[in-house]
Amino acid sequence: SQKIEQNSEALNIQEGKTATLTCNYTNYSPAYLQWYRQDPGRGPVFLLLIRENEKEKRKERLKVTFDTTLKQSLFHITASQPADSATYLCALHYGNNRLAFGKGNQVVVIP
Amino acid sequence: DGGITQSPKYLFRKEGQNVTLSCEQNLNHDAMYWYRQDPGQGLRLIYYSQIVNDFQKGDIAEGYSVSREKKESFPLTVTSAQKNPTAFYLCASRGLGDYNEQFFGPGTRLTVL
């Protein structure tokens, strides 16, 4: 069956350190993968998109990698700040312009 | 301001009643989506529409219905046939073309009493 796995345990990290989140998937062949940020009680907000032929994408303090052999994406927040505290969702493209979402991984940045 | 709106933010319904959630966008997007989010769960696709007057079932369409009479609007009706309707409902829109992101509304939290 198709599955997208993100760590269910919250990641607690000290301010200034790099937070790294993992997204693993099985039985998907996504043309691209996206990462979203979601704050409590609000809709997700798009952060980054990476295509299957790209290894790495950066935007300001964010970096995403995509390994189609390992079926894995890593999401990094460098120089983390308390304002980065949120839940981060991995989303895979599949048939007919749909997205399949992981359950999300909560990040808590400790001042 | 361009964006996507959902109303109401909170909605309470008695068991056995149908209820309609509103979703409006002024982004000129062709595609619109409805998701359901339960605590500790990912977003699950209910229905989606890529063009006016056409829509397709997602993964959990049972107990829900939609219409797409206008490009800007994609209302979702939660019917009494939906066994566990209490959830957070999110609407999204997307421009056509590859590699476009989805823009989400603020969500509607539905509680069945």
Side-chain angles (χ1 to χ4, degrees), chain A residues 32 34 36 38 46 96-97, chain B residues 33 37 48 50 101-102:
Chain A
Y32 59 85
Q34 299 181 359
Y36 289 78
Q38 187 175 24
F46 170 77
N96 215 10
N97 289 320
Chain B
Y33 306 80
Q37 188 174 36
Y48 65 106
Q50 302 210 74
E101 71 267 30
Q102 292 188 10

Side-chain angles (χ1 to χ4, degrees), chain B residues 48-69:
Chain B
Y48 65 106
S49 168
Q50 302 210 74
I51 195 168
V52 175
N53 292 323
D54 188 45
F55 49 82
Q56 288 79 41
K57 292 181 180 180
D59 302 316
I60 55 165
E62 187 175 347
Y64 299 98
S65 66
V66 293
S67 63
R68 187 85 188 277
E69 297 176 1

Side-chain angles (χ1 to χ4, degrees), chain B residues 19-70:
Chain B
V19 63
T20 298
L21 281 58
S22 167
C23 177
E24 303 278 332
Q25 55 99 0
N26 61 3
L27 299 167
N28 199 33
H29 285 167
D30 288 287
M32 297 187 75
Y33 306 80
W34 273 106
Y35 295 92
R36 169 186 173 136
Q37 188 174 36
D38 295 281
Q41 299 293 318
L43 278 65
R44 291 185 290 168
L45 183 64
I46 305 172
Y47 268 98
Y48 65 106
S49 168
Q50 302 210 74
I51 195 168
V52 175
N53 292 323
D54 188 45
F55 49 82
Q56 288 79 41
K57 292 181 180 180
D59 302 316
I60 55 165
E62 187 175 347
Y64 299 98
S65 66
V66 293
S67 63
R68 187 85 188 277
E69 297 176 1
K70 296 187 300 181

